[in-house]
Amino acid sequence: MTAKFEYRTPLQNYWKYRNTNQIADLNNVSNSIYFPTKQTPNQHIAFLKVHKTGSTTAQGLFLRYGLKRNLTFVVANNKSWFPNIISLEESVIPGYNIIPPPKGKRYEILCFHVVYNRSAFERIMPNDTKYIGIVREPFLHFKSSIRYFNYGGHNGHAQYLRHFLQNSTSTQRKENSNPATSFLNNRMAFEFNFPLHLFDSFSSYEVKQYLEKLDKEFDLVIINEYMDESIVLLRRMLNWDVKDVLFVNLNVNQGTSDLNEIGLKEIHLHRQFATLDYELYHFFLKRLWKQIHSYGHDILEEISYYKLLRKNLENFCNSKETPILIVEESRWSSSFPVTQKDCNFMRQGEFWYLNEIMKQQYS
């Protein structure tokens, strides 16, 4: 037994009940197909994997794509640290924190944790590399970091958060004064390599200048709260197939936390503290929607299609009642199968992928 996924746009459902001449008109309207298979896919990617932004889910797309095509990844030269982290404080440094590519090859995908630096990235990546980043709503990012790293411990996350935000001379604030070693002090801005003096002395003019620099350097910055919309845009920019950008959610925290008690007062204080993260987030949130609308109405229909397809994929992967899901042809994709093996591949963790990469690249 197989499951099937077939999508009809609202317009197609309407014309379904009309006469054949009108259906012919619909077929003419549908000529604006976005089929990437006739175009050359871009396989050179530099993805800035920012901590606690949903970046593991996005990273999985690049890991699976590269592994299936035997592409060469930038991997950490790290024997005493987490092997999936190139650096928490620095950018890529050939001969120091990354392993040289195999003989006769060059790097094609960078997607492990490292601090962004355009000139450093350009020294190791091809000229046609697409630069992708990711950000998350700053207060949600702040709470996620406190929960993940267990700040506050047995005293509670909420108490730690309140002390951090309400007292600028608190122990919590002093321990996180250095953005290079803190996951709470404008961490997203730090990993995007904002000038360090801006963390101590905010300048709206300099921040605007740096954001304009990032605007020119990044082809796309994924917004966590609009992951589906971002991934559809990513697919179009890279000319990948729909199957290449399917995913199941990873590292989603399902546990309860006293952080749910936090209210508007703390949000207001955090906005005053994490100004750089808020500037970064809102700049690229606005840009994402500008980029989406530049594609016109068709991309909005594709987003609806993709959301429904992802929902069907999650149900299929979780049920395991059928061995295969057949995705019917659409305006954005030819027909393709999804198997339970594909589901398992999507569920693998970062360390599993890294192990496979090491075997494939350096065996």
Side-chain angles (χ1 to χ4, degrees), residues 12-13 21 28 33 65 96 105 114 121 133 146-147 153 168 186 191 194 196 211 231 240 272 282 287 299 320 353:
Q12 285 172 323
N13 280 328
N21 290 334
N28 291 332
I33 292 174
Y65 187 92
Y96 171 59
K105 293 190 175 183
V114 72
F121 280 28
I146 288 176
R147 182 187 297 113
S168 61
N186 291 275
E191 295 190 22
F194 271 64
L196 285 177
L211 287 172
I231 297 304
W240 286 6
Q272 294 177 324
H282 287 296
R287 194 183 79 154
I299 194 172
K320 298 185 178 180
Y353 285 114

Side-chain angles (χ1 to χ4, degrees), residues 45-213:
I45 311 295
F47 173 59
L48 183 64
K49 187 177 189 288
V50 179
H51 283 86
K52 307 314 300 171
T53 59
S55 59
T56 300
T57 296
Q59 178 202 41
L61 302 179
F62 307 119
L63 292 172
R64 290 191 294 276
Y65 187 92
L67 268 175
K68 287 180 179 179
R69 293 160 179 81
N70 197 25
L71 302 180
T72 303
F73 289 84
V74 182
V75 292
N77 182 18
N78 212 331
K79 295 182 176 64
S80 59
W81 186 244
F82 291 104
N84 62 322
I85 295 175
I86 297 172
S87 179
L88 294 176
E89 301 180 33
E90 301 172 305
S91 193
V92 287
I93 305 173
Y96 171 59
N97 61 14
I98 55 175
I99 300 175
K103 187 176 181 180
K105 293 190 175 183
R106 69 174 303 175
Y107 297 122
E108 293 167 294
I109 297 182
L110 188 163
C111 63
F112 292 105
H113 283 301
V114 72
V115 177
Y116 176 67
N117 182 296
R118 181 62 179 226
S119 59
F121 280 28
E122 286 180 341
R123 279 195 288 271
I124 65 169
M125 298 300 294
N127 292 334
D128 64 347
T129 295
K130 293 292 186 181
Y131 285 78
I132 314 296
I134 185 168
V135 293
R136 184 181 187 179
E137 195 284 321
F139 193 67
L140 294 178
H141 176 266
F142 183 61
K143 291 201 299 181
S144 177
S145 297
I146 288 176
R147 182 187 297 113
Y148 180 81
F149 294 107
N150 197 27
Y151 288 105
H154 64 275
N155 291 323
H157 300 143
Q159 180 177 326
Y160 182 94
L161 183 147
R162 290 192 182 97
H163 287 174
F164 184 100
L165 293 176
Q166 293 175 8
N167 187 352
S168 61
T169 61
S170 66
T171 301
Q172 291 86 344
R173 192 74 72 89
K174 289 178 181 178
E175 290 173 346
N176 289 276
S177 60
N178 183 358
T181 58
S182 171
F183 287 95
L184 302 182
N185 185 356
N186 291 275
R187 184 68 198 188
M188 292 190 293
F190 177 79
E191 295 190 22
F192 272 89
N193 201 21
F194 271 64
L196 285 177
H197 69 271
L198 293 177
F199 290 80
D200 295 321
S201 180
F202 180 84
S203 164
S204 58
Y205 174 74
E206 289 186 67
V207 168
K208 182 174 180 292
Q209 278 191 316
Y210 191 72
L211 287 172
E212 289 173 352
K213 176 178 181 291

Side-chain angles (χ1 to χ4, degrees), residues 214-227:
L214 294 178
D215 187 28
K216 295 174 184 176
E217 294 177 353
F218 278 85
D219 297 281
L220 171 66
V221 173
I222 295 167
I223 305 296
N224 173 281
E225 290 73 28
Y226 298 98
M227 184 68 79

Side-chain angles (χ1 to χ4, degrees), residues 217-262:
E217 294 177 353
F218 278 85
D219 297 281
L220 171 66
V221 173
I222 295 167
I223 305 296
N224 173 281
E225 290 73 28
Y226 298 98
M227 184 68 79
D228 291 333
E229 291 83 352
S230 298
I231 297 304
V232 169
L233 190 56
L234 173 77
R235 185 189 83 79
R236 292 192 173 210
M237 286 184 171
L238 299 181
N239 293 319
W240 286 6
D241 290 320
V242 168
K243 188 172 182 179
D244 294 326
V245 296
L246 290 179
F247 67 91
V248 292
N249 289 314
L250 298 173
N251 288 2
V252 178
N253 191 306
Q254 301 292 345
T256 58
S257 172
D258 59 352
L259 287 173
N260 296 328
E261 305 167 7
I262 299 301

Side-chain angles (χ1 to χ4, degrees), residues 273-299:
F273 171 73
T275 310
L276 295 179
D277 273 1
Y278 281 96
E279 292 285 339
L280 173 68
Y281 176 78
H282 287 296
F283 180 88
F284 282 110
L285 175 61
K286 291 177 184 177
R287 194 183 79 154
L288 176 76
W289 286 106
K290 286 181 182 178
Q291 289 176 305
I292 288 173
H293 287 302
S294 71
Y295 279 91
H297 181 73
D298 176 69
I299 194 172

